[in-house]
Amino acid sequence: MTGLLVVTAVPAEAEAVQAGLADPTVAVMPVGVGPAVAGAATARLLALAEAAGRPYRAVISAGVAGGFPGLVAVGGTVLGTCAVAADLGAESPNGFIPVDELGMPPELLGGGTAVAADPGLLAALRAALPDATVGPVLTVSTVTGTAPSTEALRRRHPDAVAEAMEGYGVAVAASHAGVPFAELRTISNPVGPRDRGAWRLREALTALTTAATALR
């Protein structure tokens, strides 16, 4: 059995993670942006490793994210208790309906619209990162960028601490492969009206390098 597989969306995130590691048993791979490509690429990596007789023992979805104001500051670190498919569902006159409330069989939903982090893996990360904010991390295909959409998201997911674009896809791939999953994020911007001038990507990537030491 090999070590951890850490997947990020883009190379800059992978480089930040690698800068905090000195462990050859941790593989760090940028797999693309969004839940579909991240899930497909992660599933392929897991399948190839298993076919080669060297399966990974756990998968971490890592990278930068938006943090919900008042819960986590820009530059802060987040550990996800679960990855939530926050915009997978249907609109209705009465508001958004999550896909698992539309009457579809559970086996078609990849484990439901929320996939929990592995308890043991999450506990180990919490012990290594005691200052991290812990809570659900939302996966969205469209990054939140207006006050009304932020308010609607907060109403639907009042416990969520951050939003990103890949965690749920990675979590479903890990679940199908029977491999423990967790999500590690550092905050580059507040969730809310889109303001690129308020983003702090460099600070978030530096924080990601620091947090990656917990993956050794």
Side-chain angles (χ1 to χ4, degrees):
M1 178 176 288
T2 58
L4 293 174
L5 172 63
V6 180
V7 295
T8 70
V10 299
E13 293 168 321
E15 291 165 5
V17 171
Q18 288 170 330
L21 291 173
D23 187 343
T25 69
V26 179
V28 185
M29 301 290 292
V31 294
V33 177
V37 67
T42 300
R44 180 175 183 273
L45 290 170
L46 292 173
L48 287 173
E50 184 175 5
R54 298 188 300 273
Y56 290 105
R57 60 185 174 88
V59 181
I60 307 288
S61 178
V64 303
F68 284 102
L71 296 178
V72 57
V74 171
T77 298
V78 163
L79 295 172
T81 55
C82 60
V84 182
D87 55 9
L88 183 61
E91 291 185 332
S92 80
N94 295 321
F96 179 81
I97 305 173
V99 70
D100 52 5
E101 295 180 12
L102 295 176
M104 296 183 183
E107 61 269 18
L108 298 182
L109 301 178
T113 56
V115 180
D118 177 78
L121 187 54
L122 179 58
L125 289 171
R126 292 186 71 169
L129 298 167
D131 294 329
T133 300
V134 181
V137 176
L138 307 183
T139 298
V140 295
S141 295
T142 301
V143 173
T144 305
T146 69
S149 58
T150 302
E151 182 180 353
L153 203 59
R154 291 297 297 268
R155 285 199 303 268
R156 296 204 306 268
H157 304 283
D159 298 329
V161 295
E163 76 166 19
M165 300 184 75
E166 295 79 32
Y168 178 76
V170 176
V172 170
S175 176
H176 278 252
V179 176
F181 159 83
E183 187 165 6
L184 166 65
R185 298 280 175 177
T186 53
I187 304 304
S188 60
N189 59 279
V191 177
R194 187 171 178 81
D195 177 11
R196 285 300 301 267
W199 289 23
R200 298 292 181 265
L201 282 172
R202 181 174 297 179
E203 289 89 334
L205 291 171
T206 298
L208 187 59
T209 294
T210 300
T213 61
L215 304 178
R216 293 175 181 173

